[in-house]
Amino acid sequence: MLIRYGYDIELEFAHPASVITLMEVHPTRRGDIRMESPLLVLPLTTVEPFFDGFGNRCRRIAAPAGRIALHLEGFIWDSGVADSVNWAAQALPVSALPPDVLPFLLASRYCETDLLSEFAWSNFGHFANGWTRVQAVCDFVNRRLKFSYPTACSLRTASLALQERVGVCRDFAHLAVTLCRCLNIPARYCNGYLGDIGVPPDPAPMDFNAWFEAYLEGRWYTFDARHNQPRIGRILVARGRDAADVAMITSFGPHALTRFSVLTEETHSDPCLSPAPKETRSASFDSPLYPEHALASGAMK
């Protein structure tokens, strides 16, 4: 099946600033793209593409003072098959893990394994060490946290989400990732597009989504603690240790978000580029309505 995806974003700057964006379809999915517009940046300015240390596609943009608009739209082929499920998959001992997987066992900015290790083993140590244990973590996080856009907070870590019992999908992912790492199961944070394909439509404005991957029996499997069910049509944008590694917009200077629209939907039309999506939502970077994945790093503060 074909999925139409894209975004229409506008930022306002009081002074010229450098901006790093991480909103490109991941290299592992580039071969599935049937058509994609060039990134449109207005007014015209310097845009430098590069890859980060996790292999994600990024761009550095020289933003002038005033407003700058970013628009991209494309069509991608998807199998239409839901996320893989393998209840027989077992966790490998740390001694058998590939070296490049080991960093995803460690603490990171939003994933404080040192604070939650005892909790993790006390609550999940009795489950079979593999898919069953990871799913038990997802079930717990899904029940523990209440999804709430108005309470979105860029400073909320996994331990705070556990205490506050509220969050957005990045918080669901952070808590699940942290608990898995505490249990010696490598886990990495993912974000990207996830439309309402094969599920009832969500009336909330479209946003990018977060999920995670756990390493079992020599491969990475997709898990989603927020939706807690296999889904169709994920389009991966980035992977990292947590949201700090894959912030979709990092501004080296204060800015206000004046337009934000994300599009992802199944389409049966020919892949021809159409006008920018019309749905908009406005907020400043201090607002709880600021899109949960477009949160800049500490360089912005």
Side-chain angles (χ1 to χ4, degrees):
M1 68 179 180
L2 278 175
I3 299 175
R4 181 178 170 219
Y5 66 91
Y7 55 82
D8 189 29
I9 296 172
E10 186 177 80
L11 306 167
E12 185 169 7
F13 295 85
H15 307 283
S18 291
V19 178
I20 295 176
T21 65
L22 209 167
M23 296 186 290
E24 311 295 314
V25 172
H26 195 267
T28 56
R29 294 298 309 272
R30 300 298 299 180
D32 295 325
I33 294 175
R34 293 296 180 262
M35 180 180 289
E36 185 179 84
S37 69
L39 173 64
L40 177 63
V41 181
L42 294 175
L44 297 178
T45 186
T46 302
V47 180
E48 177 188 1
F50 67 96
F51 290 92
D52 67 12
F54 296 95
N56 302 310
R57 292 166 58 97
C58 310
R59 296 179 190 266
R60 178 168 58 184
I61 300 173
R67 294 193 175 187
I68 184 169
L70 311 174
H71 175 70
L72 181 142
E73 190 173 333
F75 295 80
I76 192 168
W77 171 257
D78 190 85
S79 67
V81 176
D83 304 324
S84 297
V85 176
N86 182 5
W87 285 96
Q90 298 297 306
L92 297 177
V94 175
S95 60
L97 293 173
D100 62 323
V101 171
L102 294 176
F104 298 101
L105 284 174
L106 306 178
S108 55
R109 165 69 177 85
Y110 290 100
C111 301
E112 318 105 314
T113 54
D114 53 336
L115 298 182
L116 296 184
S117 182
E118 182 177 350
F119 177 89
W121 284 105
S122 297
N123 287 273
F124 307 103
H126 61 285
F127 288 98
N129 190 17
W131 190 282
T132 300
R133 187 172 285 178
V134 178
Q135 186 57 57
V137 166
C138 290
D139 292 343
F140 168 80
V141 174
N142 183 265
R143 294 191 306 267
R144 178 80 174 191
L145 302 188
K146 177 183 178 182
F147 186 85
S148 173
Y149 263 128
T151 60
C153 175
S154 64
L155 302 180
R156 183 181 292 122
T157 63
S159 63
L160 286 175
L162 180 65
Q163 296 172 28
E164 296 171 355
R165 300 193 175 205
V166 69
V168 289
C169 62
R170 61 181 256 151
D171 302 305
F172 284 71
H174 283 149
L175 181 53
V177 163
T178 305
L179 294 173
C180 286
R181 291 178 187 173
C182 290
L183 299 164
N184 295 334
I185 299 174
R188 62 189 183 186
Y189 181 94
C190 304
N191 64 25
Y193 298 93
L194 181 61
D196 299 325
I197 300 173
V199 297
D202 185 342
M206 187 67 68
D207 195 355
F208 292 102
N209 269 260
W211 57 89
F212 75 101
E213 294 173 344
Y215 193 81
L216 302 171
E217 285 196 353
R219 60 160 286 189
W220 294 98
Y221 285 95
T222 297
F223 290 88
D224 188 334
R226 183 212 164 175
H227 298 104
N228 205 27
Q229 65 179 38
R231 291 289 295 268
I232 298 170
R234 294 185 197 274
I235 305 174
L236 180 68
V237 168
R239 296 187 180 107
R241 293 167 299 177
D242 58 28
D245 289 332
V246 295
M248 290 190 160
I249 299 174
T250 301
S251 169
F252 295 86
H255 69 273
L257 182 67
T258 54
R259 184 169 69 247
F260 180 87
S261 180
V262 175
L263 169 72
T264 176
E265 62 184 9
E266 183 180 7
T267 180
H268 301 286
S269 62
D270 292 333
C272 55
L273 298 179
S274 56
K278 299 299 183 182
E279 183 180 43
T280 62
R281 179 173 63 188
S282 298
S284 73
F285 61 83
D286 290 322
S287 168
L289 290 180
Y290 193 87
E292 56 171 301
H293 304 289
L295 294 170
S297 66
M300 186 184 80
K301 297 176 181 178

